[in-house]
Structures are given as structure tokens and as C-alpha cells.
Amino acid sequence: MAHNEEYSLFEDVCSFVDDAAQHMKLHPGLLEQIKQCNSIYKFHFPIRLEDGSYQVVKGYRVQHSHHKLPTKGGIRFSEMVNEQEVMGLSALMTYKCAMVNIPFGGAKGGVNIDPLQYNAGQLEKITRRYTSELIKKKFIGPAIDVPAPDYGTGAREMAWIVDTYEAFNPEAINAKACVTGKPLSQHGIEGRTEATGMGVYIGIREAVSVEDDMKELGLKTGLKDKKIIIQGLGNVGFYTAKYLKEAGAKVIGIAEWNGGIWDEEGIDIESLKNYQSANKTFDGYGKGKFIENSVEIMEYPCDILIPAALENQITSENAPRIQAKIIGEAANGPITKEAEKILLDKDILVIPDMYLNAGGVTVSYFEWLKNLSRVSFGKLEKRYDMEKYKFLVDSIENATGDAFNQEQRDSIIRGASERDLVNSGLEETMVTAYHDMNQKRKDKKIKSLRTAAFILAIDRIAVSYTDMGIFP
């Protein structure tokens, strides 16, 4: 299913929307407008290779919904990139932003290349050329469309994008806000790197905090001693694992594309990651058992399974063998539609991607705000708060005759750093959205959190379109 051309992520997303719409009273015309991609831009450009030969590269940018502007979404560099995939991911971005109440429309971009086949110089040329094609057609800008990193791209590419944009728009004072996920030196934001993983952690923590839901699954509330399997130890998988482990959960299996590790004693995430960075594989890692065919690991017994790699990892073929009680979709679209029906029939709680991995876009939103205001969060009020707390602590000490020890004193007086404020905003966003979604699921008496998430999202988009009216 994963690699054939007939599969359309976009059609899958539309069918989720149709499922949700059955529980709503929506005008069919409005539903049609919500589902469609508003703008699709496909283009080709040449690059000159080292040996003097040429290659024609395919690029895409899709803006799915203009109910809120700018639109927002990542750029992926991958040979799997095609129009249907970019359309589908762009639609998911729309519903994801609406679901967690971030005021962006959805977009997505892609370049059909295998980034591993190019050196840094060539990737820079491809990225800058891709950006200039977007600029020409006004498909990028702080008020229009704001890209971000995705599969195959990172902070480095975002720095090239912002530099290219500034070269073409020297008078634009908000130019830095044309893209997010930038390095800190280019006015990125503290906490962006770990944002998605942190969001996944918060979402799962909230899910296991609801007593009646856990009772139905035969689990205790809280993360302590929960057994966890994660597929993918990239950025998202790594930070998810790290935070869950710090919260008392036990990561017992990690699967990567070239093998996995199984260890019921619990895996030391940092040490495994260091080994992987050095050896490009888990094979030979001293602890636990190396599993050659890592896809099997997802079928091992655990409390929570977290697919944090690519789409279509749990299909109708392997879904019947999944033993987890909860599945947290950290990746985009890791469970096919047929597979999800099977999982729900087995009473597995599926926490959907459009909610669970929204930490990235949430913190991207904070980065965009930071760039528009051109001041880092906390800079203005930090010292003022510290003085106020210091005065408060002194007053308490004087009134009681007791003294705080230095550690207590420091932790009370500390002003919030940019990272503290980012994490606070991220937590607020994820916590509120989970309970909104779970409540909607219960109100509508449905099993699927995904359908509940789509109902919430579609409702917000519908209100936005209706209030906006149609031009002219």
C-alpha cells in the first residue's frame, strides 16, 4: 500500500472529512469548499551538476485553505514527493491548525529529490531556486504562506530560504517571518527543535490522565511504568522517548528502518541515540536484543505504541496483530484508514496525528509572532518579574522571620526565559485541545478521536468561512 501510485493521501483525508461531516449539519457547498485545495503550484527547474550535466527537478507548493492567512506547512525533500501527497499533507495542516486553534491555513511543499544524493552546495542551489520560484508567484511571505522544515529538510534549509527571500524583498521589515524552523542565529526560537516531541509527550500524558478512559483500557492513570514502543528515532521519536522516560514511562522497543532494539528492562534513549549517530545503525549496541526486521517490533506487547516515522506503517495487514492499548500517531498518517477500523474494533485508543504532532506548528506560530514583533519572548518583562518576586520573597521572610534556602529562593525569583514561555504556550495549546477533542468524542458517542478532531476542526473552519463571506 505504501509505495503504489494509486494510493492518494488527499483522498484519504477527504474521506475522514466526510466521516466527520456525517455528525454535523453543514451546507454541502461549504463542505466542498473546505475539502478542496485552493491553490496548487507545480513547477520544474534545472540544476547544473558537478560533471557539467543538467537535471530537471520537480517542485510543488499547495495552499489548501485560505480561511486563515498566512498558510503554513513544511517542505519535504524526498523521492516520494508527488502532487497527491503534497495535497494530502497540506489538507492535514489545515485541520491540524484549526484543531489546536492556531490561526493559519494549511499548506505543504515538496521537491522530488533524494537529498542524500547531493552535497550541501547542490542542496543550497536547489533550495534557493525552489524559493525564488515561490517568490515569483507570490507563494511565500509572512502574510501569504510560511514554510517550515519537514522530512529531508531542517534549520539549514530554512536559513537559505529566509536569506533568498530577504534578497528579493530588501524593504520587507518582516522578512524573517517568511519561514519558521530557522536556526537561532537567524531569529529562530528556543525550543523549536524539540517542540513536536514535547507536544507528543504532552498529548499522551493528557490521554492517560483521564480516569474513565484508562479504566476502559484496563490501565492505571499516569505515565509511570507504562511500557512504550516507538517506531523512528529521528527528531520527533527521540524527544518523545526522552520526555516519556523522564516522566517515569519505560521505553522497551525502538524500531528504525534498518533494525530495532527490544529491551524489557527499558532502553537508555540518549546512549542508544549516540550509538546510532556514530554507527548509523542499532546493530552491535550492547544492551537489549537487536531485531533485524524492525516492523515486527510494532506487534510486540506494550501499553503505548508510537509510530514516529513515515506514513502507512500500520495497514490492514499488520493491524490485527498490534497488541498496544493506545497508539499515538507522532508521524503524519502512519495508520491507513482500513487499519484504523480494525484497531477501533479492538478497542484500541488511537490519538490522531492531526492533534498529536501539532507541537511543531504551534511553536512555529510562536516563532512567526516573535519575528513579526522582532523581540524575543520574555526580554521585556523578565527582570521586572524577577524584581517583583524578589520583593515578595523578602517580604515573606521579614513577616515570618523564616528564611528560604538559596535553591528555593532562586527557583521562586527566576524570570521566565524564552524557552519557558514557549513550553508554557505549547502546553496550554496541547492540553486544551486534547480535552476539547475527547469531550467531543463523548458528546457525539463515537469511538474515534480522529473523527472528533475533524468535527472540531471543520466546525472552526466553517465558522471562519461563513463569517468571512464570499468575495465579491
Side-chain angles (χ1 to χ4, degrees), residues 308-322:
L310 285 171
E311 50 263 8
N312 303 333
Q313 298 303 300
I314 300 177
T315 62
S316 51
E317 193 277 313
N318 61 356
R321 299 192 297 275
I322 300 281

Side-chain angles (χ1 to χ4, degrees), residues 132-436:
S132 69
E133 296 291 338
L134 295 184
I135 293 167
K136 263 193 267 186
K137 292 282 188 285
K138 283 205 183 312
F139 255 71
I140 181 174
I144 300 167
D145 187 350
V146 180
D150 196 279
Y151 194 74
T153 59
R156 176 183 70 171
E157 286 76 13
M158 302 308 111
W160 294 333
I161 291 174
V162 75
D163 184 63
T164 309
Y165 186 84
E166 288 182 309
F168 279 85
N169 298 280
E171 73 304 324
I173 193 163
N174 288 331
K176 290 273 188 252
C178 76
V179 65
T180 60
K182 300 182 293 294
L184 286 172
S185 66
Q186 301 306 309
H187 304 253
I189 197 166
E190 290 279 0
R192 176 64 183 88
T193 312
E194 55 274 48
T196 310
M198 169 77 84
V200 172
Y201 154 70
I202 296 169
I204 289 171
R205 184 196 73 195
E206 290 310 299
V208 299
S209 75
V210 182
E211 197 159 341
D212 44 347
D213 293 350
M214 289 308 103
K215 228 185 225 131
E216 275 180 39
L217 298 173
L219 291 173
K220 286 199 192 69
T221 53
L223 283 166
K224 196 167 164 35
D225 296 329
K226 292 277 188 293
K227 296 195 175 81
I228 294 180
I229 293 175
I230 296 184
Q231 185 202 30
L233 198 60
N235 174 302
V236 180
F238 171 73
Y239 283 108
T240 300
K242 178 173 143 58
Y243 296 130
L244 286 168
K245 187 169 170 271
E246 284 167 11
K250 213 167 163 184
V251 180
I252 55 172
I254 293 185
E256 264 287 8
W257 62 276
N258 57 355
I261 288 285
W262 174 256
D263 186 352
E264 300 198 60
E265 296 303 297
I267 295 168
D268 180 334
I269 309 300
E270 262 100 353
S271 118
L272 182 62
K273 184 68 181 171
N274 292 338
Y275 183 87
Q276 184 194 29
S277 303
N279 301 284
K280 304 282 176 271
T281 172
F282 295 156
D283 200 359
Y285 179 70
K287 302 191 189 82
K289 184 169 176 240
F290 179 72
I291 310 282
E292 192 86 27
N293 182 14
S294 67
V295 182
E296 288 172 18
I297 294 182
M298 297 203 293
E299 301 168 15
Y300 289 5
C302 66
D303 298 317
I304 305 171
L305 170 64
I306 302 170
L310 285 171
E311 50 263 8
N312 303 333
Q313 298 303 300
I314 300 177
T315 62
S316 51
E317 193 277 313
N318 61 356
R321 299 192 297 275
I322 300 281
Q323 299 184 58
K325 305 234 175 46
I326 299 170
I327 302 179
E329 291 189 311
N332 281 315
I335 302 177
T336 65
K337 202 162 187 250
E338 300 80 35
E340 182 159 35
K341 287 194 181 75
I342 297 168
L343 300 170
L344 290 175
D345 286 341
K346 292 172 65 169
D347 291 327
I348 294 172
L349 182 70
V350 178
I351 310 173
D353 51 2
M354 63 181 286
Y355 159 71
L356 198 58
N357 64 28
V361 73
T362 302
V363 175
S364 272
Y365 169 56
F366 301 155
E367 182 179 334
W368 179 74
L369 290 176
K370 172 187 176 171
N371 297 153
L372 293 180
S373 61
R374 288 184 303 284
V375 60
S376 62
F377 289 121
K379 193 170 202 161
L380 298 177
E381 65 272 30
K382 185 175 177 180
R383 296 282 157 182
Y384 175 78
D385 286 344
M386 284 170 75
E387 283 306 313
K388 204 165 62 182
Y389 298 140
K390 186 172 174 301
F391 177 74
L392 190 65
V393 167
D394 291 344
S395 308
I396 293 170
E397 287 184 339
N398 289 337
T400 61
D402 270 342
F404 291 99
N405 66 38
Q406 197 54 46
E407 198 182 322
Q408 290 169 327
R409 208 183 158 84
D410 291 347
S411 74
I412 296 171
I413 290 174
R414 205 173 74 96
S417 67
E418 177 165 271
R419 179 174 301 241
D420 293 329
L421 293 165
V422 164
N423 287 345
S424 160
L426 174 58
E427 186 156 3
E428 169 59 22
T429 304
M430 296 300 293
V431 170
T432 310
Y434 183 80
H435 297 289
D436 284 354

